[in-house]
Amino acid sequence: MRMLKIPISSIIYENKNYSQQLYDSVMRIGFSFPITVSIKNDQYICIDGHKRLSALNDILHDNPDYHRGDNVCVVIKEDMRSNDCWRRINMH
């Protein structure tokens, strides 16, 4: 797994409903855990974190000078099956 910091505009995610508590938490402390994404066709696709990204998007819209900015820490989940070294180890 790799970790990067990328702008929210680079991530494809579904806009989800979220609680006011989540909005307030992201506003106050940001994200405690990175967003999980995969890369398909040179695009970052959200796997886990749709609600957090939705809240951040609204925060950025409501507060243009939000002190944390629009960069998001992401963990890139790579497809282990594409790595030939695992083929010999995991044979069941």
Side-chain angles (χ1 to χ4, degrees):
M1 282 194 260
R2 292 182 294 156
M3 253 179 100
L4 293 173
K5 202 165 196 176
I6 60 174
I8 188 174
S9 60
S10 299
I11 305 170
I12 296 172
Y13 66 96
E14 286 184 44
N15 196 17
K16 300 274 187 174
N17 293 328
Y18 55 86
S19 68
Q20 184 64 41
Q21 288 175 316
L22 178 61
Y23 182 98
D24 294 342
S25 174
V26 172
M27 183 75 170
R28 190 175 61 256
I29 63 171
F31 296 158
S32 297
F33 300 97
I35 302 296
T36 305
V37 299
S38 65
I39 299 177
K40 293 183 182 167
N41 300 325
D42 294 326
Q43 295 181 314
Y44 296 103
I45 311 295
C46 179
I47 296 173
D48 180 44
H50 296 275
K51 288 181 183 180
R52 291 180 286 159
L53 290 173
S54 298
L56 177 59
N57 186 54
D58 288 348
I59 287 169
L60 291 169
H61 182 265
D62 297 343
N63 307 283
D65 51 337
Y66 177 61
H67 68 282
R68 295 187 188 279
D70 67 342
N71 285 333
V72 178
C73 283
V74 298
V75 172
I76 300 172
K77 184 176 178 192
E78 298 179 28
D79 186 4
M80 297 302 280
R81 290 176 288 170
S82 65
N83 189 343
D84 285 339
C85 74
W86 290 104
R87 228 175 250 145
R88 289 179 277 123
I89 296 169
N90 190 13
M91 299 184 77
H92 41 308

